Amino acid sequence: MAVPPNFEFKNAESKTDLSTFIGLSAALLIILVTLILGGQYKIFFDLPSFIIVFGGTFAITVTATTWTDFVNALSVMKSTFRVTQIEQRVYAKKLIDLAMISRQHGAVNLQQYETALRSDGFLRQAVRLVTDGIKTDEIESLLKQEIDSNLQRQEQAIRVLRRAAEIAPAMGLIGTLVGLVQMLAKLEDPASIGPSMALALLTTFYGALLGTVILTPLATKLEKRTDEELTQKVLVLSATLSMARQENPRLLEIQLNSLLAPKNRIKYFEE
Amino acid sequence: MAVPPNFEFKNAESKTDLSTFIGLSAALLIILVTLILGGQYKIFFDLPSFIIVFGGTFAITVTATTWTDFVNALSVMKSTFRVTQIEQRVYAKKLIDLAMISRQHGAVNLQQYETALRSDGFLRQAVRLVTDGIKTDEIESLLKQEIDSNLQRQEQAIRVLRRAAEIAPAMGLIGTLVGLVQMLAKLEDPASIGPSMALALLTTFYGALLGTVILTPLATKLEKRTDEELTQKVLVLSATLSMARQENPRLLEIQLNSLLAPKNRIKYFEE
Amino acid sequence: MAVPPNFEFKNAESKTDLSTFIGLSAALLIILVTLILGGQYKIFFDLPSFIIVFGGTFAITVTATTWTDFVNALSVMKSTFRVTQIEQRVYAKKLIDLAMISRQHGAVNLQQYETALRSDGFLRQAVRLVTDGIKTDEIESLLKQEIDSNLQRQEQAIRVLRRAAEIAPAMGLIGTLVGLVQMLAKLEDPASIGPSMALALLTTFYGALLGTVILTPLATKLEKRTDEELTQKVLVLSATLSMARQENPRLLEIQLNSLLAPKNRIKYFEE
Amino acid sequence: MAVPPNFEFKNAESKTDLSTFIGLSAALLIILVTLILGGQYKIFFDLPSFIIVFGGTFAITVTATTWTDFVNALSVMKSTFRVTQIEQRVYAKKLIDLAMISRQHGAVNLQQYETALRSDGFLRQAVRLVTDGIKTDEIESLLKQEIDSNLQRQEQAIRVLRRAAEIAPAMGLIGTLVGLVQMLAKLEDPASIGPSMALALLTTFYGALLGTVILTPLATKLEKRTDEELTQKVLVLSATLSMARQENPRLLEIQLNSLLAPKNRIKYFEE
Amino acid sequence: MAVPPNFEFKNAESKTDLSTFIGLSAALLIILVTLILGGQYKIFFDLPSFIIVFGGTFAITVTATTWTDFVNALSVMKSTFRVTQIEQRVYAKKLIDLAMISRQHGAVNLQQYETALRSDGFLRQAVRLVTDGIKTDEIESLLKQEIDSNLQRQEQAIRVLRRAAEIAPAMGLIGTLVGLVQMLAKLEDPASIGPSMALALLTTFYGALLGTVILTPLATKLEKRTDEELTQKVLVLSATLSMARQENPRLLEIQLNSLLAPKNRIKYFEE
């Protein structure tokens, strides 16, 4: 059980989440190109229609929830575009690295790795609790509280996004009904029928765009992300408690493997 | 453990709930402005269409439930526009203030704070039970019954609102079908087609407005509000029982923290 | 504990349920007035369209269930228009009245109140079991069987009504499709387009009327009524067993209060 | 406890299920008469439209399941048109008749009633196991396996029917979209618009007919039938085990009553 | 208990799944023939419409999930076109054959059957663990991990397919809205209305095709397949553990029968 020679923790860097970014960009691009190829792309950009759908969805979502929850949902939604590129396999091994350092050189010695962990706030906080010699019970309660608080915040954001995704097409329909009624009321001018109706349908298009292309996929991605982050934080919790209790890192390996998906399980001590 | 010098309880004042009020106003304003900008806003106000949707939704909701439940739902719905601006953090601290006063000067001394609590009916009732020297068991049973009764009333109101929100668009559709049939039956006059059809679509618009913009968001807000009020009343219950049992306020702090969301947890005795 | 002087039981009279009757009448009236004001009301009464929707819904509902269940559903549905005007508070007190008479004058003496109970079949049957001196176990088993049987019958009726409420709009759509195909096939006569299409839409209107205005609200009301009747019968069961066991009526009060909604709880022995 | 003199078992004869047969026939007849009265009934019979909806639904249902499951579903579906006209009351009494014969004359004597039971395969099989002197444990395991296997088969058929009922309207929509696109592509010939569009709508009509009028009601009826058959087979199981164990038929009566719906409970030994 | 003379294991060959292949081909053929018979089949093949629906569905599905999950879903989806033609009856008997060989000639002797098992990867891996003399506990843990990992992978693929099946019709609607707005904006040219609208409807057609005809049935088939494969792998697990524990094959028969559907149960030792 030699201490890993040059311990690094570069994996936790935050990168753009390519599946979110490219997927969403591609969907919007495909639609945009279709608009331009149709040679009439200007008609698709209409400020009043935009306001009735995006503004209306925004206003009703705030009505149904609170301002705090809404702002929280927006900030959590943004986070789906960044991903901390961590392979759970690699992350679990790094946690055992830390456990072995702690085992062999004492928990206090972990202090020198704090800079290496600066990109992973939760892990750094956990390690500091150990080096500060806080009692195991308190460490467990503090970290669980942190995990809980984060989980609650993300679940609330997912609920707000799903609600907004239901409101968007309904606002689109309301906008189209307004447009149709206005068009039909002044039917005497036949030349204006086409463009008026085009304008009326625009809000339905905006509503479908906002609900189907933007809000629903991001809510689904956020659910997946929440699951992954929860797993990762529970890994850190296990490792931290193991270090605080000064248990054998071999025991930690078994615990981590029981938390990891089958394909990510590790064999640290047989390599 | 000094008694808080000038104890105030101004937090429990009832204010307009800005997220409900501004959100709903903004949504209706956006739609209204769209109507006016279209230059035909008069056609959107049609009494018969209004009666068929709003009156019909009202009548069918009463059919599906009872008159008492319906009136109850309306009065509870109104309450989503007012909010008792209480930060749970601050509220929990005030409860510990009360517990400390009770601990140091005796429960009877709480009487002098009754005026300060006049804006918070439930808490005042709870404190009076303590100062009157009612037995702990009876206090618990009385307060739980009160909480239960309120919860039941709000849940029934939410069910009625959700049901009405489903009926509204269906009544809109019925109104539009009536209008379409009437229009098609006298098709010989081509000039009247447009306005007649505009009128026919109006009920669908009203139905979507009533269901999507008004009833559903208020029902959702009411659900959120019910959750919060329940938490707050359970805080009061815990504090009241703690005072009645003359327990150490430090114990109360632990109990309150276990009821509060992570971000609202307090540290009364470490400040 | 004096025997209530002039014991009456007039509360259990069956009256028209005003919320069902007025609610449904108002909804139908609003629609009817709209039809008449449109000046074309005759077109809304078309026998073939009526048969395809109402007859079709009837036929398919029978296919999906059995003739017995269907007839049962109709007879239970009718019962939502009558209500036995019982306030649970008052009813519970009358049950304690009976228990006190039984306690002080002996169960046999209850016989003389049988006429007073003639409007409440279930209670009269329960009281007769006590005066006949049937064993408590058998009374419990007989009354529970009766409650069970009634509950099952009403739940089956609710299921049939909900199913019919789903079939009605589908039959409306089928009727409209038939009408549209027929109209389009003889398009050469432009004068007939309007009235033909009006006729085609009529079945969609009938389907929405039958499903949304009649069947769904009645099914929902029936659910509420079933809940209330169950509570009332369980009150009778508790009181009857208490009398059969010759328990103290004070004990009965506690049992009844645990079954009643908070706002209906009684204080018989403190008044 | 005299042996029933002339034991017959004629109840188990299979008859046409009138609610399925008349209900479905009436629904189809109503629609057919509407078609004929419209004077254009020929347009409603179009082979290509028929193939795209019925063939398409068939093909996609097979894709989603397996050929075996599909054939099984068809054969089970057919069974909803036949019903073995058994009143559970009467059936339960006959089972006690058998139990009494077995008790008084010995199980072997049941052999002579085998002809009387020939129309009820499951009961005959069960009785033969008793007369053959098979051990009680094995009888129980064999009959339970048979019940299980039948239940599984019917549940799978219900799933396939429900799935087909969802596919049918979707295929109708696809057919209509194909028809509309074809019609719109050759819009230059105005005379053909009406009939082409009529034809296009035909598949939506077929899809609604197949899904709403045929598949969904039969799936629902099958669910009800499966429940009834299960009850009846569990009655036979109880009676068979009681005979195999040579228990007192009075005990069997209590067991059967606990399985029967309240209204069907019997009083064999008090008549 | 003689060893089966010439042991073969040809059943596990992978063949085309005819119900998937023929079912899907038939559905697409029916639609294709309808297109061709309409004499306008060229209009149904439009690259931009194809890109907006298929490309859009693809892009949004990737946004909502991750690239890895998406590729995994495609590869699992392909597997629904191949089936390893195994009757569970026959397979279970072959497993008992193996158990008897192992019992009579020793587990090491199973090695010579490895070639016979080459087409069934999971069984071969399981048998090799036995012949290698791995401990029973470890065999159980390794095989369960393998089963788990496979199950998880398929369930994730089913979720992705179901999500894509919901996105496809929504993209179809968005495409149609774009087309309608473009057509209505240049309404001055009446000749182009028909073909433009035909083109606009094409994306709705593509969306229904992709969602209803391709993705949903394949997801449903995959669910069924996952169930079957799980059963088969659990059979292998039972047989492997039985061999590793050197249990009597008669015990294994009972275990296998408890896992098999009633109709597939075997009687190995009575034939």
Side-chain angles (χ1 to χ4, degrees), chain C residues 20-33:
Chain C
T20 310
F21 189 76
I22 295 187
L24 191 55
S25 305
L28 292 174
L29 199 74
I30 285 169
I31 293 167
L32 200 70
V33 167

Side-chain angles (χ1 to χ4, degrees), chain C residues 63 65 69 145 156 163 184, chain D residues 23-24 194 220-221 224 265:
Chain C
T63 308
T65 175
D69 282 0
Q145 197 166 310
Q156 203 147 44
R163 197 158 294 139
L184 290 164
Chain D
L24 191 55
T220 308
K221 170 64 83 50
K224 200 175 169 55
R265 283 178 195 146

Side-chain angles (χ1 to χ4, degrees), chain A residues 48-49 51-69 141-142 144-146 148-150 152 156 159 163 166-167 170-171 173-188, chain B residues 17-27 30-31 34-41 43-44 190 193-195 197-199 201-202 204-206 208-209 212-213 216-218 220-224 228 261-263 265 267:
Chain A
S49 302
I51 288 173
I52 206 170
V53 174
F54 286 78
T57 302
F58 162 81
I60 299 176
T61 307
V62 169
T63 309
T65 176
T66 62
W67 180 252
T68 324
D69 282 1
S141 135
L142 281 165
K144 277 194 176 162
Q145 198 166 308
E146 176 82 18
D148 223 42
S149 159
N150 200 56
Q152 218 181 44
Q156 204 148 42
R159 267 201 300 279
R163 198 158 295 140
E166 285 167 16
I167 293 168
M171 279 315 294
L173 175 68
I174 285 178
T176 296
L177 285 168
V178 169
L180 284 179
V181 169
Q182 286 173 342
M183 180 200 84
L184 290 164
K186 50 179 178 185
L187 208 61
E188 59 277 1
Chain B
D17 182 334
L18 290 181
S19 70
T20 310
F21 189 75
I22 296 187
L24 191 55
S25 305
I30 285 169
I31 293 167
T34 314
L35 299 190
I36 290 169
L37 287 183
Q40 298 271 345
Y41 67 93
I43 201 178
F44 285 97
I193 294 181
M197 201 156 164
L199 212 60
L201 283 179
L202 214 54
T204 297
F205 170 67
Y206 285 168
L209 208 65
T212 306
V213 179
T216 301
L218 291 187
T220 307
K221 169 65 78 58
L222 203 51
E223 266 171 8
K224 198 172 170 58
E228 283 172 9
K263 64 171 179 185
R265 283 179 195 145
K267 289 190 181 177

